[in-house]
Amino acid sequence: MTPVERARHLDILTDRLGDLLRPGDPSATAGPVTVVTGPVGAGKTSLLQEFARRSVVAGVGFLGASASRSERTVPLEVIRQLFRRAILDAAARDRISRLLDQAVLRWGEAADEEVLAALTATIGGELLEIVTRAPTVVAVDDVQHADGPSLRCLDYLARRVTGLPVLIVLGESPRTRPWHRTVHAELLHPARVHRVRLPLLSPEGTYRVLADRLGAPVARSIADEAHRITGGNPLLVHALADDHSAGGHDRPAPGEAFREAVLSCLYRCEHLVLKTARVLAVTEEPLHGPLLPHLVDLPSELNLRAIDASTSGGLISASGLRHPAIGQAVLDGMTMEERGRLHRAAAELLHDDGAPPVRVAAHLLRTDELNAPWMAQTLLDAGEQALADGDVDRARRFLRRANRDSAEECLRARIRSALARAEWRLDPQAAVPHLLGVVTAVRAGHLGSRQAAGPIQYLLWHGQIERAVELIHHLGKRADSDDPGSAAELIVTKAWMATLYPGVPVGGARATREAARDPLTLARVKHRLRGVTLLGAVLERGDAGAVEDAQRTLATLGLDDEPSMWNAVCAVIAMIYADRLDLAGDWCDRLDAVASARRYRTPRALLAAAAATVAGLRGDLPRARELAEAALHRLSPKGWGVVIGAPLAIRLWTLTCLEEWDEAADCLRTPVPPTLFETPFGLHYLHARGLHALAAGSPEAALADFQLCGQLMTSWRLDLAPLVPWRTESARALLRLGRRQQAEKVIREELDRLRPTHVRHRGAALRVLATVHEGPERIRHLRTAVRLLRQCGARVELAHALTDLGQAQQQAGDLRQARSTSRAARVLAEECGIPVLRPTPPPGRTGPAEPGGEPGVLLTGLSDAESQVASLAAQGHTNREIAEQMFLTVSAIEQRLTRIYRKLDVNSRSELAARLRHGR
């Protein structure tokens, strides 16, 4: 079978075979030697095999041999193969064998030129006598590897068969330089040589090979990429087809067969090509880069100019190795020691040339040991540069390698500090093992404020307050007012600690206070604390202009370092507290895209928690639940540290609103660090836990959580409703407990403290205030609450306010308006995902009515909604009547009754009524 794109070349050889059968024909003007030349793997051997078959079919004698690089120092090995193929009697074979043995010995004794010429004539004469008996083809494959004595004998033959029925066909791969230059030049004299050049396959040829192997549809889909990978080398194309058949991938996937084919090509090339390929695989540089001549031990770059696609089988081009898969195959064919030596040599050359640390460090990663003083420092510099560029994975690799082998204490301390920063961006828990070493280094004076600022924040993140305070005090004693940068870092660190732990005092050293008077230091501090400043402006003053400042801040921030990330998150939180949810949600998405591109898990987790809060406040409960769960899954519970209060709070609140009680209970079982309740995140967690207790029928527990929020906020001087509206929620709990007057006092105090910009919180407070009134006064407060809540887009609270207003209108006898209001409440509840809308109990009622219509309390084991359904069902109301009273569908009532029966272990309404009477 003719190889693909080799028919024309085979026809040329066949024509030469025809000339051989017409001796003396004047038209047969070509010389007696035909050289088939082409890159390694181009198909020369297959072509010669097909030509041998045609020669035998034509009745022409065929003597074949194949040279090998491993045998090119064995004298007369090729000639010995040719004699073995000749038809000889036993006597002649023995005689020639003895002749060859004697010649090998004499050649090995380094005989003079006259003796060698005589030996060549004797052996060449024997070969000439055999091939001239009948038309004969003498073929030698891979002649570039043939030994010198064999080449001499072939040259002797070639000079004597002109005009005779003898054709010499040689297969040759291009070389950077001949193995035996003189004899090679004599044998391939242009006057008697006809060359047949085999190119690599074209894209169409690659497709045809793949189509024969894999079928036309598959070949059509992968041919272009296969040609880019292989360069048209037939050996590699067939290997790629083998891997594709074994793997079943949609795209070409170089595997074991491809790796073996690459190595086979390289081992059949010159050793210089193999060494060059190994250097290129290690350095990933172009062919004529500055490192290559030094790493392959060549005196000058000129020696490499002969290395190209032809001498390398298409594996090497001017840009280096053709494809990464080829580079990986070359690396796989090297030992660890070989790779390590090359990487070390490359690192030393690059370092001596002043290359960037990142480039040098890429090679140091793969060396056996870092025994030169500059190596660990280079890895540290490269790690910090990678952190600045946002490539955290690469930074971790550099810093981990430096940390493993660095012995100098000060340098090791700086490495561990940088490594803690890198680990924290992907997983805060991974930074913990390095923090103890950083603490020790700060105590020993190996780290200053610049290097310790990040690790101190991580200690605060994980609730290790005492260690963080100790380090701040220690750095404050050593603070140098002549170093504005160090003083600024210390001031910023204290400010962040005051933000995270507002109740923990941090004293200031005199040197730090003096440094704070420096204009440059103050400018740095102001720049680094933009987020904290915005947060304070929104919380304390309700400053609407702070939102514009937040937008300007976010427009100039990235997530390249911790200060920028924290400032970005604080700016988003400031927007949330200012009730600019549209802007906050948009910035969450934009910042998350940046963090996602850089694969920052920690910032993405924080932004997901913020986005969940935005979705919840806008009334998209399913979306809020999804985002909160995504945030919690991005970091482990321990990795979240004290900040876990934020995503847990929004998830617990969402599950409570959705009445997913089992999942809410699981959320409450998530362990939280005790120091959580010394942070603002603990306030949000207490608020959500109190709301859950209130909805589940435990107003005492709810009130305790709300009042604890108030105590903490008051002691921290952060008694601000946008942070946590603890008074409003305390009033709700007090009303559930029947303490109406106290509830009214608390809610009026809240209304007095609210600013005009606190629209959401005023609307929620007015809804609670309406609960302590009856008649027109109640309706007036509820209408105002509805207007305010609609104005700020608080859809969850608005749905409940509309429900209360509908009930109040029904009690006032305005049934038409009540139906309209209740319908609007139900529509809004469906949009938000609220499963149950229940009106707030009117004044004098502390819970759903028990059998007999008497005021009662919430039933143990049931939520307040389930308690109300159970009480109405026990009184004999039908499901439809209960649905109308509670503004629900009949199917919703049926589902709740099913859960109530299961929880109370009853099977009918009569059993339910008996159970409730027993409970009284």
Side-chain angles (χ1 to χ4, degrees), residues 253-329:
E256 184 65 21
F258 183 83
R259 184 186 70 83
E260 292 177 355
V262 169
L263 296 179
S264 174
C265 283
L266 287 175
Y267 292 146
R268 290 161 58 191
C269 293
E270 297 172 79
H271 191 61
L272 176 60
V273 175
L274 175 61
K275 290 177 64 176
T276 301
R278 287 175 171 175
V279 172
L280 292 176
V282 166
T283 62
E284 299 180 357
E285 289 199 337
L287 176 60
H288 302 297
L291 294 181
L292 189 60
H294 301 283
L295 295 178
V296 296
D297 300 326
L298 290 179
S300 70
E301 184 183 359
L302 296 176
N303 301 71
L304 298 173
R305 296 196 180 277
I307 298 178
D308 54 18
S310 63
T311 55
S312 67
L315 300 179
I316 299 175
S317 64
S319 58
L321 293 177
R322 170 171 292 279
H323 192 270
I326 294 175
Q328 188 58 53

Side-chain angles (χ1 to χ4, degrees), residues 351-669:
H351 178 262
D352 292 342
D353 290 342
V358 172
R359 191 177 174 198
V360 181
H363 294 289
L364 292 177
L365 284 177
R366 298 170 177 85
T367 57
D368 294 334
E369 56 181 348
L370 307 179
N371 51 13
W374 59 269
M375 292 181 173
Q377 179 65 53
T378 300
L379 284 167
L380 172 59
D381 295 341
E384 291 181 333
Q385 182 60 51
L387 274 177
D389 295 339
D391 193 344
V392 183
D393 286 334
R394 173 180 273 196
R396 284 200 309 170
R397 291 196 297 271
F398 291 154
L399 296 170
R400 284 177 175 177
R401 184 72 172 88
N403 184 55
R404 192 178 74 193
D405 286 359
S406 176
E408 201 273 318
E409 289 297 328
C410 289
L411 179 60
R412 186 177 180 85
R414 291 174 54 203
I415 291 170
R416 298 203 73 171
S417 174
L419 183 55
R421 294 205 312 272
E423 297 284 8
W424 183 84
R425 292 193 189 180
L426 297 179
D427 183 5
Q429 184 63 23
V432 172
H434 306 291
L435 296 181
L436 184 59
V438 172
V439 170
T440 304
V442 172
R443 290 171 180 165
H446 297 322
L447 292 178
S449 300
R450 292 174 182 266
Q451 295 83 20
I456 289 175
Q457 290 185 17
Y458 311 148
L459 291 171
L460 296 174
W461 176 283
H462 288 291
Q464 300 185 30
I465 306 173
E466 294 181 359
R467 282 182 175 170
V469 171
E470 177 191 352
L471 292 187
I472 290 175
H473 287 163
H474 189 85
L475 292 171
K477 293 177 182 177
R478 297 192 294 110
D480 185 0
S481 59
D482 295 332
D483 182 6
S486 178
E489 288 288 353
L490 187 57
I491 295 172
V492 170
T493 301
K494 290 180 179 181
W496 279 114
M497 182 166 187
T499 302
L500 283 174
Y501 296 91
V504 178
V506 181
R510 180 161 51 88
T512 306
R513 290 196 298 271
E514 292 175 356
R517 299 190 185 99
D518 176 63
L520 179 59
T521 302
L522 289 175
R524 291 184 178 182
V525 170
K526 184 178 179 180
H527 178 77
R528 296 281 297 279
L529 294 177
R530 285 178 291 175
V532 174
T533 305
L534 289 170
L535 203 51
V538 170
L539 284 174
E540 296 176 14
R541 302 190 304 272
D543 190 355
V547 175
E548 297 180 1
D549 292 339
Q551 291 191 79
R552 285 193 293 270
T553 297
L554 286 168
T556 59
L557 281 177
L559 294 178
D560 294 337
D561 52 23
E562 290 88 346
S564 296
M565 187 275 295
W566 278 108
N567 280 311
V569 173
C570 283
V572 170
I573 295 174
M575 290 179 174
I576 294 174
Y577 285 144
D579 225 1
R580 292 301 305 272
L581 303 180
D582 51 343
L583 290 175
D586 179 57
W587 276 106
C588 281
D589 293 339
R590 293 166 68 176
L591 292 172
D592 182 70
V594 176
S596 176
R598 295 177 178 269
R599 293 187 293 174
Y600 288 175
R601 289 177 58 192
T602 304
R604 289 198 71 199
L606 287 167
L607 291 167
T613 303
V614 170
L617 293 175
R618 297 175 77 172
D620 191 349
L621 296 179
R623 177 63 175 163
R625 173 184 177 177
E626 176 185 346
L627 287 169
E629 291 174 351
L632 288 167
H633 288 155
R634 282 175 182 167
L635 297 177
S636 65
K638 288 186 177 181
W640 270 104
V642 296
V643 188
I644 196 172
L648 273 183
I650 185 62
R651 182 168 185 259
L652 179 58
W653 175 78
T654 305
L655 294 172
T656 300
C657 293
L658 296 173
E659 294 200 359
E660 297 287 350
W661 305 113
D662 293 338
E663 290 191 45
D666 290 338
C667 190
L668 285 171
R669 284 192 287 269

